[in-house]
Amino acid sequence: PFTFELPEVDLSGISDGDGAGHAVNQQGYITQIKQPVTLKFESYAEKLEKPGELMMSDFAKFDRPPLLHLAFQAVAAYLDEKGELPRP
């Protein structure tokens, strides 16, 4: 829980139910409304050809992500050609 004050807000119009217009000191809930963000992505086919920056899963093996990308492309090509995955 966070505590905060709104010193510049005019609370004179808020009443406590007695109609006198006294400000009420209560607890309540605040909901953050997030603004929509538009993201643009390249197509899957474009990213297969030029993957760009690849995610690093192991910082000790910097050459691994491009090698894995190439390996998965080779397995996909094999599957397209033979109709089955290669045997281990």
Side-chain angles (χ1 to χ4, degrees):
F2 296 97
T3 303
F4 62 93
E5 295 181 15
L6 303 171
E8 298 174 4
V9 176
D10 180 19
L11 299 175
S12 62
I14 300 175
S15 68
D16 60 359
D18 66 359
H22 298 108
V24 180
N25 185 8
Q26 292 184 3
Q27 294 181 355
Y29 294 99
I30 295 177
T31 303
Q32 178 183 8
I33 299 174
K34 297 190 178 188
Q35 298 298 317
V37 177
T38 303
L39 300 175
K40 296 184 180 188
F41 296 95
E42 294 179 30
S43 71
Y44 181 69
E46 290 172 336
K47 281 311 213 179
L48 277 177
E49 291 296 319
K50 297 180 193 172
E53 185 176 331
L54 298 169
M55 184 176 71
M56 295 296 296
S57 57
D58 187 350
F59 290 103
K61 301 172 183 163
F62 286 103
D63 60 337
R64 185 63 52 93
L67 185 61
L68 286 173
H69 180 73
L70 183 61
F72 280 109
Q73 281 185 319
V75 169
Y78 185 92
L79 180 62
D80 287 343
E81 183 180 320
K82 304 283 185 179
E84 62 183 9
L85 292 172
R87 293 178 53 179

